[in-house]
Amino acid sequence: MRQVISVAFQGYIWFLQRCGLFTYEIEGRERLRGKNKLVIANHPSLLDVVFLIALIKQANCVVKAELWRIPVTRGPVTAAQYINNHSTELIGECVASLDKGDTLIIFPEGTRSVPGVPPKFHRGAANIALLAKKNITPVVIECVPATLLKGKRWYHIPATSPHFRIRVLPEVDLQHYLDSDAMQSRKARRLNTELESLFMEKLQFES
Amino acid sequence: MHTKESIYAYLVSIFVDLFEVEASAICLEARLYEDLDIDSIDAVDMVIKLKELTGKKIQPEAFKNVRTVQNVVEAVYELVNED
């Protein structure tokens, strides 16, 4: 089922692009090949997850609980067995998914990015990475001009068609965190700060 | 013997050392999640540290309903003084 969604999203992106609704470029695509990766991305637009799932054939994804209530999306998210972000065992389910060999996509901001504001990550993704002992593959997504933003209606379309730039960065190595005997809470904070700084640098925010 | 004051002082040291909370932000009324950015995983580490202080087994359920620093102090105080 996850593969079906992936192919459908590939088709959707191809279609929208052919319609001239947007253009896109992807750097470092080969870094998403292979199985069992923990992918984290910023979330400027509603199309981000469409791109990521299209790029990764068998991806598990943490999805907001509302999508189990909307009739159109309920079927797919249930069939694909995506992880519900309101699950009481959220962290455990994510770690189990990675242990099982899935590739997991998380948007650590927890919601769409606020334009012009440096990304602020929840620590869940950092905690999951440390517990699953899984290096992180960061994906930096930019969309110029902004479209399908948080706080704007979907029909507020910019005058020029937007350009998506998607950069898959080299893995963030967790070894020095795993070797440290600090407590989980402290390691997660350090890792989270490292990830935020990385995204801020790539998105050219002053730290 | 642990007084509420000593428990509070110990909590402040955990929050500052472990969770890197600004000492000035901590007060009895501060809410753990909203004000101090302490999440459920941090709470697990907090319970481990509180075990070291009290030398007692602590069931995470005892902290299920804590929201503020004051709640934690009360819960720990009850725990060390029950028998």
Side-chain angles (χ1 to χ4, degrees):
Chain A
M1 185 61 201
R2 288 175 187 166
Q3 204 149 354
V4 172
I5 296 179
S6 176
V7 171
F9 281 5
Q10 285 170 33
Y12 182 58
I13 286 174
W14 179 83
F15 174 76
L16 291 179
Q17 195 197 219
R18 285 304 296 259
C19 291
L21 285 178
F22 61 74
T23 54
Y24 69 90
E25 62 181 308
I26 297 167
E27 296 167 28
R29 189 177 190 149
E30 68 285 349
R31 298 201 175 106
L32 288 177
R33 295 216 180 97
K35 288 187 170 160
N36 200 205
K37 292 178 182 296
L38 174 55
V39 176
I40 68 162
N42 61 321
H43 200 357
S45 153
L46 273 179
L47 281 172
D48 308 335
V49 70
V50 179
F51 273 111
L52 285 179
I53 289 181
L55 284 168
I56 303 168
K57 272 195 209 75
Q58 278 280 3
N60 198 352
C61 193
V62 176
V63 174
K64 68 173 172 183
E66 283 84 346
L67 296 192
W68 272 266
R69 292 200 291 271
I70 301 170
V72 186
T73 49
R74 186 190 299 138
V77 294
T78 306
Q81 299 179 319
Y82 288 150
I83 298 171
N84 184 325
N85 74 339
H86 282 185
S87 162
T88 48
E89 280 301 318
L90 177 59
I91 302 274
E93 283 180 39
C94 290
V95 173
S97 168
L98 284 166
D99 285 349
K100 212 168 62 185
D102 287 347
T103 285
L104 181 65
I105 303 170
I106 301 177
F107 295 98
E109 286 168 287
T111 183
R112 265 172 286 157
S113 316
V114 184
V117 175
K120 191 92 193 87
F121 292 169
H122 292 287
R123 288 190 299 275
N127 273 306
I128 290 160
L130 292 167
L131 291 169
K133 301 183 171 54
K134 183 83 8 221
N135 288 346
I136 291 173
T137 306
V139 179
V140 178
I141 302 173
E142 288 159 284
C143 172
V144 182
T147 188
L148 296 177
L149 294 170
K150 187 108 184 151
K152 292 219 182 148
R153 310 306 316 189
W154 60 268
Y155 48 79
H156 288 161
I157 300 167
T160 52
S161 58
H163 181 72
F164 282 90
R165 182 181 181 208
I166 299 173
R167 284 177 287 170
V168 186
L169 305 181
E171 283 190 352
V172 175
D173 185 18
L174 297 193
Q175 201 53 50
H176 65 286
Y177 293 102
L178 299 176
D179 290 342
S180 135
D181 50 13
M183 289 188 100
Q184 174 80 11
S185 46
R186 168 161 281 202
K187 287 194 272 192
R189 278 173 168 76
R190 293 264 185 280
L191 175 57
N192 203 44
T193 307
E194 180 183 340
L195 295 172
E196 282 178 347
S197 310
L198 176 67
F199 275 79
M200 267 161 62
E201 181 200 318
K202 297 293 174 189
L203 294 167
Q204 296 182 327
F205 284 105
E206 302 283 325
S207 53
Chain B
M1 187 56 213
H2 298 291
T3 61
K4 287 186 183 177
E5 287 71 28
S6 69
I7 294 167
Y8 176 72
Y10 185 75
L11 272 179
V12 172
S13 74
I14 295 179
F15 291 167
V16 172
D17 294 343
L18 212 58
F19 306 146
E20 298 171 346
V21 176
E22 292 282 339
S24 58
I26 306 171
C27 61
L28 281 173
E29 294 77 35
R31 292 165 299 173
L32 300 180
Y33 181 71
E34 294 86 344
D35 300 329
L36 305 181
D37 189 28
I38 292 170
D39 62 23
S40 57
I41 299 220
D42 299 335
V44 174
D45 286 349
M46 181 177 78
V47 170
I48 295 172
K49 283 287 176 189
L50 289 172
K51 264 184 211 166
E52 288 174 14
L53 173 78
T54 60
K56 290 202 173 191
K57 267 198 189 154
I58 298 178
Q59 300 302 326
E61 290 80 60
F63 290 91
K64 218 173 153 186
N65 293 317
V66 302
R67 292 286 172 271
T68 65
V69 175
Q70 170 121 37
N71 296 155
V72 183
V73 173
E74 300 286 346
V76 176
Y77 185 78
E78 261 175 48
L79 213 76
V80 291
N81 288 302
E82 72 184 6
D83 270 317

PDB file of all heavy atoms in Angstrom, chain A residues 91 122-123 127 131 183-186 189-190, chain B residues 17-20 37 39 41-42 45 48-49:
ATOM      1  N   ILE A  91       6.465   7.413  20.384  1.00  0.00           N
ATOM      2  CA  ILE A  91       7.911   7.205  20.292  1.00  0.00           C
ATOM      3  C   ILE A  91       8.216   5.720  20.081  1.00  0.00           C
ATOM      4  O   ILE A  91       9.008   5.348  19.213  1.00  0.00           O
ATOM      5  CB  ILE A  91       8.595   7.719  21.589  1.00  0.00           C
ATOM      6  CG1 ILE A  91       8.277   9.192  21.798  1.00  0.00           C
ATOM      7  CG2 ILE A  91      10.088   7.447  21.560  1.00  0.00           C
ATOM      8  CD1 ILE A  91       9.173  10.161  21.101  1.00  0.00           C
ATOM      9  N   HIS A 122      10.371  19.960  17.696  1.00  0.00           N
ATOM     10  CA  HIS A 122      10.074  19.165  18.882  1.00  0.00           C
ATOM     11  C   HIS A 122      11.192  18.133  19.023  1.00  0.00           C
ATOM     12  O   HIS A 122      11.821  17.754  18.039  1.00  0.00           O
ATOM     13  CB  HIS A 122       8.746  18.435  18.721  1.00  0.00           C
ATOM     14  CG  HIS A 122       7.571  19.354  18.697  1.00  0.00           C
ATOM     15  ND1 HIS A 122       7.104  19.986  19.827  1.00  0.00           N
ATOM     16  CD2 HIS A 122       6.773  19.761  17.688  1.00  0.00           C
ATOM     17  CE1 HIS A 122       6.064  20.737  19.499  1.00  0.00           C
ATOM     18  NE2 HIS A 122       5.842  20.626  18.200  1.00  0.00           N
ATOM     19  N   ARG A 123      11.378  17.620  20.248  1.00  0.00           N
ATOM     20  CA  ARG A 123      12.503  16.704  20.446  1.00  0.00           C
ATOM     21  C   ARG A 123      12.180  15.256  20.118  1.00  0.00           C
ATOM     22  O   ARG A 123      13.029  14.392  20.231  1.00  0.00           O
ATOM     23  CB  ARG A 123      13.015  16.811  21.883  1.00  0.00           C
ATOM     24  CG  ARG A 123      13.751  18.106  22.154  1.00  0.00           C
ATOM     25  CD  ARG A 123      14.440  18.064  23.497  1.00  0.00           C
ATOM     26  NE  ARG A 123      13.517  17.888  24.582  1.00  0.00           N
ATOM     27  CZ  ARG A 123      12.852  18.882  25.172  1.00  0.00           C
ATOM     28  NH1 ARG A 123      13.014  20.104  24.769  1.00  0.00           N
ATOM     29  NH2 ARG A 123      12.032  18.627  26.160  1.00  0.00           N
ATOM     30  N   ASN A 127      14.786  12.106  19.933  1.00  0.00           N
ATOM     31  CA  ASN A 127      14.647  10.989  20.864  1.00  0.00           C
ATOM     32  C   ASN A 127      14.533   9.660  20.123  1.00  0.00           C
ATOM     33  O   ASN A 127      15.143   8.664  20.514  1.00  0.00           O
ATOM     34  CB  ASN A 127      13.418  11.186  21.757  1.00  0.00           C
ATOM     35  CG  ASN A 127      13.751  12.004  22.999  1.00  0.00           C
ATOM     36  OD1 ASN A 127      14.674  11.673  23.737  1.00  0.00           O
ATOM     37  ND2 ASN A 127      13.016  13.070  23.221  1.00  0.00           N
ATOM     38  N   LEU A 131      17.049   6.481  20.406  1.00  0.00           N
ATOM     39  CA  LEU A 131      16.555   5.193  20.905  1.00  0.00           C
ATOM     40  C   LEU A 131      16.726   4.094  19.853  1.00  0.00           C
ATOM     41  O   LEU A 131      17.039   2.955  20.174  1.00  0.00           O
ATOM     42  CB  LEU A 131      15.080   5.302  21.318  1.00  0.00           C
ATOM     43  CG  LEU A 131      14.820   6.154  22.566  1.00  0.00           C
ATOM     44  CD1 LEU A 131      13.322   6.409  22.722  1.00  0.00           C
ATOM     45  CD2 LEU A 131      15.378   5.477  23.809  1.00  0.00           C
ATOM     46  N   MET A 183      22.364  11.445  30.155  1.00  0.00           N
ATOM     47  CA  MET A 183      21.004  10.908  30.129  1.00  0.00           C
ATOM     48  C   MET A 183      20.327  11.261  28.811  1.00  0.00           C
ATOM     49  O   MET A 183      20.669  12.232  28.151  1.00  0.00           O
ATOM     50  CB  MET A 183      20.182  11.453  31.307  1.00  0.00           C
ATOM     51  CG  MET A 183      20.619  10.865  32.635  1.00  0.00           C
ATOM     52  SD  MET A 183      19.509  11.342  33.979  1.00  0.00           S
ATOM     53  CE  MET A 183      18.498   9.887  34.144  1.00  0.00           C
ATOM     54  N   GLN A 184      19.329  10.449  28.489  1.00  0.00           N
ATOM     55  CA  GLN A 184      18.597  10.603  27.225  1.00  0.00           C
ATOM     56  C   GLN A 184      18.097  12.035  27.017  1.00  0.00           C
ATOM     57  O   GLN A 184      18.208  12.591  25.928  1.00  0.00           O
ATOM     58  CB  GLN A 184      17.424   9.617  27.234  1.00  0.00           C
ATOM     59  CG  GLN A 184      16.479   9.735  26.070  1.00  0.00           C
ATOM     60  CD  GLN A 184      17.001   9.049  24.817  1.00  0.00           C
ATOM     61  OE1 GLN A 184      17.978   8.309  24.856  1.00  0.00           O
ATOM     62  NE2 GLN A 184      16.362   9.312  23.701  1.00  0.00           N
ATOM     63  N   SER A 185      17.552  12.627  28.087  1.00  0.00           N
ATOM     64  CA  SER A 185      16.951  13.949  27.942  1.00  0.00           C
ATOM     65  C   SER A 185      17.993  14.981  27.490  1.00  0.00           C
ATOM     66  O   SER A 185      17.708  15.853  26.684  1.00  0.00           O
ATOM     67  CB  SER A 185      16.322  14.385  29.263  1.00  0.00           C
ATOM     68  OG  SER A 185      17.192  14.134  30.323  1.00  0.00           O
ATOM     69  N   ARG A 186      19.203  14.845  28.015  1.00  0.00           N
ATOM     70  CA  ARG A 186      20.237  15.809  27.649  1.00  0.00           C
ATOM     71  C   ARG A 186      20.756  15.556  26.234  1.00  0.00           C
ATOM     72  O   ARG A 186      20.937  16.483  25.442  1.00  0.00           O
ATOM     73  CB  ARG A 186      21.382  15.712  28.649  1.00  0.00           C
ATOM     74  CG  ARG A 186      22.604  16.463  28.197  1.00  0.00           C
ATOM     75  CD  ARG A 186      23.524  16.741  29.318  1.00  0.00           C
ATOM     76  NE  ARG A 186      23.038  17.873  30.094  1.00  0.00           N
ATOM     77  CZ  ARG A 186      23.828  18.598  30.861  1.00  0.00           C
ATOM     78  NH1 ARG A 186      25.100  18.287  30.977  1.00  0.00           N
ATOM     79  NH2 ARG A 186      23.343  19.608  31.529  1.00  0.00           N
ATOM     80  N   ARG A 189      18.378  16.867  23.707  1.00  0.00           N
ATOM     81  CA  ARG A 189      18.446  18.333  23.566  1.00  0.00           C
ATOM     82  C   ARG A 189      19.625  18.747  22.705  1.00  0.00           C
ATOM     83  O   ARG A 189      19.517  19.606  21.842  1.00  0.00           O
ATOM     84  CB  ARG A 189      18.540  18.987  24.942  1.00  0.00           C
ATOM     85  CG  ARG A 189      17.191  19.126  25.605  1.00  0.00           C
ATOM     86  CD  ARG A 189      17.327  19.622  27.027  1.00  0.00           C
ATOM     87  NE  ARG A 189      16.035  20.008  27.547  1.00  0.00           N
ATOM     88  CZ  ARG A 189      15.111  19.153  27.947  1.00  0.00           C
ATOM     89  NH1 ARG A 189      15.336  17.852  27.884  1.00  0.00           N
ATOM     90  NH2 ARG A 189      13.955  19.576  28.409  1.00  0.00           N
ATOM     91  N   ARG A 190      20.777  18.120  22.970  1.00  0.00           N
ATOM     92  CA  ARG A 190      21.976  18.449  22.178  1.00  0.00           C
ATOM     93  C   ARG A 190      21.752  18.146  20.701  1.00  0.00           C
ATOM     94  O   ARG A 190      22.059  18.950  19.836  1.00  0.00           O
ATOM     95  CB  ARG A 190      23.164  17.614  22.667  1.00  0.00           C
ATOM     96  CG  ARG A 190      23.636  17.950  24.048  1.00  0.00           C
ATOM     97  CD  ARG A 190      24.803  18.920  24.013  1.00  0.00           C
ATOM     98  NE  ARG A 190      25.327  19.144  25.341  1.00  0.00           N
ATOM     99  CZ  ARG A 190      24.786  19.975  26.220  1.00  0.00           C
ATOM    100  NH1 ARG A 190      23.696  20.645  25.895  1.00  0.00           N
ATOM    101  NH2 ARG A 190      25.328  20.130  27.413  1.00  0.00           N
TER     102      ARG A 190
ATOM    103  N   ASP B  17      20.452  21.103  35.521  1.00  0.00           N
ATOM    104  CA  ASP B  17      21.567  20.282  35.025  1.00  0.00           C
ATOM    105  C   ASP B  17      21.143  19.395  33.863  1.00  0.00           C
ATOM    106  O   ASP B  17      21.864  19.233  32.891  1.00  0.00           O
ATOM    107  CB  ASP B  17      22.106  19.375  36.142  1.00  0.00           C
ATOM    108  CG  ASP B  17      22.741  20.191  37.245  1.00  0.00           C
ATOM    109  OD1 ASP B  17      23.035  21.371  36.989  1.00  0.00           O
ATOM    110  OD2 ASP B  17      22.937  19.652  38.344  1.00  0.00           O
ATOM    111  N   LEU B  18      19.982  18.790  34.015  1.00  0.00           N
ATOM    112  CA  LEU B  18      19.592  17.741  33.076  1.00  0.00           C
ATOM    113  C   LEU B  18      18.803  18.299  31.897  1.00  0.00           C
ATOM    114  O   LEU B  18      19.003  17.901  30.759  1.00  0.00           O
ATOM    115  CB  LEU B  18      18.726  16.736  33.838  1.00  0.00           C
ATOM    116  CG  LEU B  18      18.794  15.289  33.403  1.00  0.00           C
ATOM    117  CD1 LEU B  18      20.209  14.779  33.480  1.00  0.00           C
ATOM    118  CD2 LEU B  18      17.877  14.461  34.287  1.00  0.00           C
ATOM    119  N   PHE B  19      17.923  19.212  32.185  1.00  0.00           N
ATOM    120  CA  PHE B  19      17.018  19.685  31.142  1.00  0.00           C
ATOM    121  C   PHE B  19      17.385  21.083  30.653  1.00  0.00           C
ATOM    122  O   PHE B  19      16.703  21.644  29.808  1.00  0.00           O
ATOM    123  CB  PHE B  19      15.559  19.678  31.648  1.00  0.00           C
ATOM    124  CG  PHE B  19      15.116  18.348  32.188  1.00  0.00           C
ATOM    125  CD1 PHE B  19      14.235  18.268  33.251  1.00  0.00           C
ATOM    126  CD2 PHE B  19      15.588  17.169  31.628  1.00  0.00           C
ATOM    127  CE1 PHE B  19      13.820  17.045  33.746  1.00  0.00           C
ATOM    128  CE2 PHE B  19      15.180  15.932  32.108  1.00  0.00           C
ATOM    129  CZ  PHE B  19      14.295  15.864  33.179  1.00  0.00           C
ATOM    130  N   GLU B  20      18.451  21.634  31.208  1.00  0.00           N
ATOM    131  CA  GLU B  20      18.963  22.926  30.757  1.00  0.00           C
ATOM    132  C   GLU B  20      17.896  24.022  30.776  1.00  0.00           C
ATOM    133  O   GLU B  20      17.823  24.867  29.893  1.00  0.00           O
ATOM    134  CB  GLU B  20      19.593  22.773  29.368  1.00  0.00           C
ATOM    135  CG  GLU B  20      20.765  21.825  29.430  1.00  0.00           C
ATOM    136  CD  GLU B  20      21.334  21.430  28.072  1.00  0.00           C
ATOM    137  OE1 GLU B  20      20.666  21.670  27.060  1.00  0.00           O
ATOM    138  OE2 GLU B  20      22.433  20.881  28.061  1.00  0.00           O
ATOM    139  N   ASP B  37       9.241  23.258  29.148  1.00  0.00           N
ATOM    140  CA  ASP B  37       9.615  22.425  28.003  1.00  0.00           C
ATOM    141  C   ASP B  37      10.162  21.059  28.445  1.00  0.00           C
ATOM    142  O   ASP B  37      11.162  20.582  27.928  1.00  0.00           O
ATOM    143  CB  ASP B  37      10.647  23.181  27.138  1.00  0.00           C
ATOM    144  CG  ASP B  37      10.913  22.482  25.817  1.00  0.00           C
ATOM    145  OD1 ASP B  37       9.998  21.779  25.330  1.00  0.00           O
ATOM    146  OD2 ASP B  37      12.029  22.614  25.289  1.00  0.00           O
ATOM    147  N   ASP B  39       9.320  17.210  28.450  1.00  0.00           N
ATOM    148  CA  ASP B  39       8.373  16.324  27.783  1.00  0.00           C
ATOM    149  C   ASP B  39       8.326  14.948  28.467  1.00  0.00           C
ATOM    150  O   ASP B  39       8.950  14.737  29.503  1.00  0.00           O
ATOM    151  CB  ASP B  39       8.683  16.220  26.285  1.00  0.00           C
ATOM    152  CG  ASP B  39      10.057  15.637  26.027  1.00  0.00           C
ATOM    153  OD1 ASP B  39      10.590  14.917  26.907  1.00  0.00           O
ATOM    154  OD2 ASP B  39      10.607  15.886  24.937  1.00  0.00           O
ATOM    155  N   ILE B  41       9.548  12.088  27.741  1.00  0.00           N
ATOM    156  CA  ILE B  41      10.817  11.358  27.847  1.00  0.00           C
ATOM    157  C   ILE B  41      11.661  11.936  28.966  1.00  0.00           C
ATOM    158  O   ILE B  41      12.316  11.220  29.728  1.00  0.00           O
ATOM    159  CB  ILE B  41      11.564  11.420  26.506  1.00  0.00           C
ATOM    160  CG1 ILE B  41      10.691  10.747  25.456  1.00  0.00           C
ATOM    161  CG2 ILE B  41      12.943  10.802  26.634  1.00  0.00           C
ATOM    162  CD1 ILE B  41      11.375   9.902  24.481  1.00  0.00           C
ATOM    163  N   ASP B  42      11.623  13.260  29.094  1.00  0.00           N
ATOM    164  CA  ASP B  42      12.329  13.907  30.204  1.00  0.00           C
ATOM    165  C   ASP B  42      11.771  13.418  31.539  1.00  0.00           C
ATOM    166  O   ASP B  42      12.511  13.227  32.503  1.00  0.00           O
ATOM    167  CB  ASP B  42      12.154  15.427  30.141  1.00  0.00           C
ATOM    168  CG  ASP B  42      12.729  16.019  28.866  1.00  0.00           C
ATOM    169  OD1 ASP B  42      13.627  15.400  28.289  1.00  0.00           O
ATOM    170  OD2 ASP B  42      12.269  17.099  28.481  1.00  0.00           O
ATOM    171  N   ASP B  45      13.425  10.379  32.799  1.00  0.00           N
ATOM    172  CA  ASP B  45      14.721  10.671  33.423  1.00  0.00           C
ATOM    173  C   ASP B  45      14.540  11.328  34.786  1.00  0.00           C
ATOM    174  O   ASP B  45      15.314  11.093  35.721  1.00  0.00           O
ATOM    175  CB  ASP B  45      15.555  11.588  32.513  1.00  0.00           C
ATOM    176  CG  ASP B  45      16.103  10.837  31.304  1.00  0.00           C
ATOM    177  OD1 ASP B  45      16.008   9.601  31.294  1.00  0.00           O
ATOM    178  OD2 ASP B  45      16.621  11.491  30.390  1.00  0.00           O
ATOM    179  N   ILE B  48      13.883   8.674  37.314  1.00  0.00           N
ATOM    180  CA  ILE B  48      15.126   7.966  37.666  1.00  0.00           C
ATOM    181  C   ILE B  48      15.902   8.761  38.718  1.00  0.00           C
ATOM    182  O   ILE B  48      16.379   8.228  39.716  1.00  0.00           O
ATOM    183  CB  ILE B  48      16.005   7.763  36.407  1.00  0.00           C
ATOM    184  CG1 ILE B  48      15.292   6.826  35.424  1.00  0.00           C
ATOM    185  CG2 ILE B  48      17.377   7.202  36.792  1.00  0.00           C
ATOM    186  CD1 ILE B  48      15.983   6.697  34.071  1.00  0.00           C
ATOM    187  N   LYS B  49      15.990  10.067  38.488  1.00  0.00           N
ATOM    188  CA  LYS B  49      16.717  10.931  39.417  1.00  0.00           C
ATOM    189  C   LYS B  49      16.021  11.001  40.785  1.00  0.00           C
ATOM    190  O   LYS B  49      16.682  11.063  41.822  1.00  0.00           O
ATOM    191  CB  LYS B  49      16.840  12.349  38.830  1.00  0.00           C
ATOM    192  CG  LYS B  49      17.899  12.451  37.763  1.00  0.00           C
ATOM    193  CD  LYS B  49      19.275  12.396  38.418  1.00  0.00           C
ATOM    194  CE  LYS B  49      20.382  12.393  37.381  1.00  0.00           C
ATOM    195  NZ  LYS B  49      21.698  12.124  38.016  1.00  0.00           N
TER     196      LYS B  49
END
